[in-house]
Amino acid sequence: MTQSLTVWTAVAALSASVAVAEEVRVYNWSDYIDEALLEKFEAETGIDLVYDVFDSNEVLETKMLAGGSGYDVVVPSGSFLQRQIEAGAFQALDFGKLSNSGNLWDVIKDRTATYDPGNAYSINYMWGTTGLGVNVGKVQEALGEDAPIGSLSLVFDPANMEKLAGCGVHFLDAPTEIIPAALAYIGEDPNSHDPDVIAKAEPILTAVRPYIQKFHSSEYINALANGDICVAIGWSGDVLQARDRAWEADNGVEVAYNAPSEGALMWFDQMAIPADAPNPEAAHVFLNFIMDAQNMADASNYVYYANGNVASQPLLEEDVIGDPAIYPDEATLENLYTTTPYPARVQRTVTRLWTKIKSGT
Amino acid sequence: MRRLLVGIPYLWLLILFLVPFGIVFKISLSDYAVSIPPYTPKLDIGAGWAAFTEFLGALDFENFVFLTSDDLYWKAYVSSLQIALLSTIFTLLVGFPIAYGMARAPEVWRPALLMLVILPFWTSFLIRVYAWIGILSTEGFLNQFLLWIGVIDAPLTLLNTKIAVYIGIVYTYLPFMILPIYSTLERMDESLLEAAEDLGCSRTQAFWLVTLPLARPGIIAGCFLVFIPTLGEFVIPSLLGGSETLMIGKVLWEEFFNNRDWPVASAVAIILLLILIIPIVLFQRNQAKETEG
């Protein structure tokens, strides 16, 4: 024991010396920041920034639960954050060091408190909805002028899907997003943790499975922009990035995003500091930098996601703050739902159901 | 000194195989928990013997029993075995003629040919597999080429199918098949073939009766080098295969990442290892026989 103690003291001393070198390691989602902001951070604070990216909550969570990730700031989504807080993965924030925390938006803080009671462990970075990305021209060609591009029946009604299969449909490879959507479609509680209710999603998804080209959580951005596919269930900002890429390429593809009328999942990506972060001091500096109104506005203007920073709103470009697909109006906001983490046993049922739907086994 | 040299491989085996195996086996006997790391019980070495026996008491084979309760697992094992077996056969069919051609090429060419086989290793494996996405996709090079020469009228769906997985595996593991076969063929004494022909063999007969048996150790080594890693392959099926390509590597990923159930994931891994031990033991026996002969 004493021996391991010596080792740990050595490790601690080593990480302390790293802290003197002032380095902050950030682990964020891919395609999720304007890189100019990263340079600005280094120039303003003199802290070296190591910026790594991931593309799934599962990968991040596995790193967090294994411990010793070496990151100072990570960005899990709400329901994942909640479980990781429960597991003891994060340290409470020191708001004394976060002078910009007054910029945060109460509307979002109220909602994120579901996952992080009192918002003690995290601040909101971006939030968005999960909805329908469509290639308007191709969908109307397949289903007629009055195609239901704002309704889940577009993707869950086999009659529609049969006609859309030819031009390509992608679903997110995320059971915790698609199963709630299927439940919302049939009028069940999307946040249900009851295995019997969750099972009702199976026939809905199995019926349209033959018409789904792929389950993937990032390929649809390019596929939509290039016109390779005509419909995707995807994340709001990603679809809007596809819209922009198509517009820049001037390829005649018109991409639109709609939060479905039956209700859409609202999610929150939260910045938090791991309990074993090597440099929590610098992590706080980074969080404070991100909460600056101008910086947050720059980030949103770049990635087309809404943020939880009310002070940044006057600085947002009109095609961000004025777009109801990014900042939903009151009526749409009413129509959004959130989900909470499944208990382990239910999670297993959900994963198993997902495998069954995808592979037929 | 001699003992030390003999000891190195054992030390290697101990550190890189037995210790990790022990850790995984231990986790496979524990239970899921919301904590860091996400399982219980944890072994506290400092707490003495009583804590250790208590720890042992908390372990059980529940997770292995669980694997029998759902047909997903054995179906995934069987499907992986099938894919690994077929891939090995395909790789052999492609790799043998290449190795044969290389070994029969003029001696001055051989280093260059060998280099060409090894060269792809200089690029990341991931990038090479990714390149196949560009080749096989609906709008990809292969379809465009086939459309251009008029073999097909409409693009073929290749990406996200089992065919793409086989192409990816054969491509990736081909050098592992070629190199051992080449090394046995290259060492072959060509006068044996002349002797066979003098004794009345035709060229083809000589190939079947002389060359092939002599290449056997290389073929067997190549097959194992392809079969064993393919069985647990995860990257190629997840990049090139569709969601209906069921492989145990993918199931392992889901247990570990989606279910966060390290204990069940470890149990899946242990069973995979046991399945792999059979071909490895067969391989060892074969090697031993070869050296005896």
Side-chain angles (χ1 to χ4, degrees):
Chain A
M1 192 63 207
T2 29
Q3 204 174 7
S4 71
L5 208 73
T6 339
V7 172
W8 282 114
T9 323
V11 170
L14 204 69
S15 42
S17 72
V18 170
V20 172
E22 282 297 349
E23 182 181 74
V24 63
R25 291 166 182 266
V26 178
Y27 197 41
N28 196 357
W29 292 80
S30 53
D31 291 315
Y32 213 26
I33 203 159
D34 180 356
E35 310 233 325
L37 276 176
L38 307 179
E39 285 161 30
K40 187 177 168 195
F41 173 79
E42 288 192 324
E44 252 177 39
T45 63
I47 298 172
D48 284 333
L49 176 63
V50 179
Y51 190 84
D52 290 342
V53 296
F54 58 90
D55 79 342
S56 92
N57 267 311
E58 283 79 8
V59 170
L60 170 64
E61 179 151 315
T62 304
K63 272 192 206 269
M64 286 298 106
L65 295 185
S69 68
Y71 289 109
D72 298 301
V73 176
V74 296
V75 193
S77 308
S79 59
F80 288 82
L81 172 87
Q82 186 176 347
R83 189 170 30 228
Q84 289 157 34
I85 291 175
E86 224 177 290
F90 299 118
Q91 51 181 282
L93 299 178
D94 180 352
F95 282 91
K97 293 174 187 154
L98 301 172
S99 55
N100 288 332
S101 58
N103 291 344
L104 296 180
W105 191 13
D106 287 340
V107 173
I108 298 304
K109 272 170 90 175
D110 287 349
R111 285 183 156 85
T112 57
T114 320
Y115 308 107
D116 174 8
N119 289 295
Y121 291 90
S122 67
I123 59 152
N124 180 256
Y125 177 58
M126 303 264 183
W127 56 275
T129 54
T130 304
L132 302 164
V134 295
N135 178 327
V136 182
K138 277 197 180 174
V139 168
Q140 286 180 344
E141 205 175 286
L143 295 177
E145 289 293 316
D146 52 353
I149 60 167
S151 160
L152 285 173
S153 67
L154 184 73
V155 287
F156 290 139
D157 182 349
N160 288 336
M161 282 292 278
E162 196 178 351
K163 291 177 195 147
L164 292 171
C167 61
V169 179
H170 278 198
F171 274 28
L172 286 174
D173 190 5
T176 49
E177 310 250 357
I178 304 296
I179 288 172
L183 292 177
Y185 174 62
I186 54 171
E188 292 285 350
D189 174 14
N191 190 30
S192 176
H193 288 182
D194 177 353
D196 295 332
V197 175
I198 293 170
K200 291 182 185 170
E202 188 187 336
I204 307 295
L205 291 164
T206 312
V208 295
R209 172 67 187 95
Y211 312 117
I212 301 167
Q213 196 187 76
K214 190 161 195 179
F215 292 89
H216 199 280
S217 300
S218 54
E219 256 176 40
Y220 66 93
I221 306 179
N222 269 329
L224 264 181
N226 297 341
D228 286 341
I229 61 169
C230 59
V231 176
I233 299 192
W235 292 308
S236 48
D238 284 3
V239 173
L240 296 172
Q241 283 175 36
R243 179 189 68 182
D244 249 45
R245 282 185 204 177
W247 185 75
E248 274 163 24
D250 200 14
N251 56 5
V253 173
E254 185 200 343
V255 176
Y257 175 81
N258 282 296
S261 54
E262 292 88 346
L265 176 69
M266 187 184 193
W267 47 260
F268 308 88
D269 288 339
Q270 301 287 107
M271 288 192 162
I273 304 177
D276 55 4
N279 196 351
E281 205 55 42
H284 279 90
V285 175
F286 183 80
L287 293 190
N288 206 39
F289 173 84
I290 284 295
M291 282 187 290
D292 175 76
Q294 185 63 53
N295 293 341
M296 202 60 235
D298 289 348
S300 278
N301 284 336
Y302 189 83
V303 298
Y304 289 98
Y305 278 108
N307 62 54
N309 191 309
V310 72
S312 76
Q313 290 180 1
L315 303 165
L316 290 172
E317 278 163 20
E318 186 48 38
D319 68 338
V320 174
I321 187 81
D323 188 340
I326 303 175
Y327 279 91
D329 49 44
E330 281 301 318
T332 320
L333 212 53
E334 287 290 296
N335 213 13
L336 301 178
Y337 60 82
T338 55
T339 55
T340 49
Y342 295 119
R345 207 166 279 273
V346 181
Q347 176 66 51
R348 175 169 288 288
T349 316
V350 168
T351 309
R352 186 64 188 89
L353 181 66
W354 193 240
T355 309
K356 196 171 173 186
I357 290 160
K358 287 200 301 179
S359 67
T361 305
Chain B
M1 189 59 204
R2 201 185 126 87
R3 220 176 251 182
L4 191 74
L5 282 177
V6 174
I8 288 173
Y10 284 102
L11 192 70
W12 173 274
L13 196 68
L14 182 77
I15 295 174
L16 293 177
F17 180 76
L18 280 177
V19 171
F21 177 81
I23 294 171
V24 172
F25 187 61
K26 189 205 92 174
I27 298 175
S28 76
L29 299 178
S30 57
D31 294 309
Y32 171 83
V34 181
S35 63
I36 302 176
Y39 54 84
T40 180
K42 296 169 189 69
L43 183 56
D44 183 1
I45 299 170
W49 184 249
F52 182 66
T53 49
E54 194 185 318
F55 163 78
L56 286 184
L59 300 178
D60 55 45
F61 286 89
E62 205 180 35
N63 298 315
F64 290 92
V65 177
F66 175 78
L67 294 189
T68 62
S69 69
D70 191 333
D71 59 2
L72 169 73
Y73 301 99
W74 74 265
K75 275 187 182 164
Y77 285 121
V78 170
S79 157
S80 298
L81 280 168
Q82 207 178 355
I83 291 174
L85 201 65
L86 274 173
S87 307
T88 309
I89 293 169
F90 291 144
T91 316
L92 179 63
L93 290 178
V94 178
F96 189 88
I98 298 177
Y100 187 81
M102 283 167 61
R104 290 285 165 275
E107 213 157 317
V108 281
W109 289 9
R110 286 184 207 165
L113 291 173
L114 204 57
M115 201 62 216
L116 285 176
V117 173
I118 299 169
L119 205 64
F121 283 111
W122 290 14
T123 314
S124 153
F125 153 73
L126 207 58
I127 292 175
R128 284 182 285 131
V129 176
Y130 229 92
W132 278 101
I133 295 180
I135 297 172
L136 297 174
S137 72
T138 322
E139 306 285 321
F141 299 119
L142 184 64
N143 270 318
Q144 280 175 0
F145 178 71
L146 292 178
L147 285 169
W148 180 67
I149 60 169
V151 179
I152 50 170
D153 304 319
L156 303 170
T157 309
L158 293 168
L159 194 61
N160 304 332
T161 64
K162 261 194 183 166
I163 299 170
V165 176
Y166 284 121
I167 292 175
I169 292 175
V170 170
Y171 165 77
T172 309
Y173 290 102
L174 198 55
F176 297 103
M177 185 65 87
I178 294 176
L179 295 176
I181 297 178
Y182 168 76
S183 80
T184 52
L185 286 176
E186 202 223 3
R187 270 179 318 193
M188 203 180 103
D189 186 352
E190 290 205 35
S191 59
L192 289 174
L193 287 177
E194 286 161 26
E197 282 178 43
D198 287 345
L199 292 170
C201 262
S202 73
R203 277 258 166 127
T204 347
Q205 276 175 320
F207 174 81
W208 289 107
L209 294 173
V210 180
T211 311
L212 209 58
L214 285 173
R216 219 179 70 125
I219 294 174
I220 291 174
C223 286
F224 279 109
L225 284 177
V226 174
F227 181 81
I228 293 169
T230 308
L231 191 57
E233 184 57 61
F234 169 71
V235 175
I236 298 171
S238 61
L239 285 179
L240 301 179
S243 33
E244 76 287 344
T245 319
L246 188 65
M247 283 192 83
I248 201 67
K250 178 85 179 153
V251 172
L252 243 175
W253 167 277
E254 280 173 358
E255 284 301 337
F256 200 69
F257 287 89
N258 294 56
N259 290 341
R260 293 163 211 95
D261 196 332
W262 293 20
V264 167
S266 302
V268 173
I270 295 281
I271 301 283
L272 178 63
L273 202 80
L274 292 180
I275 293 175
L276 280 173
I277 279 179
I278 299 165
I280 292 170
V281 168
L282 285 177
F283 179 59
Q284 286 287 1
R285 239 189 230 169
N286 178 69
Q287 291 291 90
K289 236 191 261 170
E290 292 289 338
T291 25
E292 267 172 41

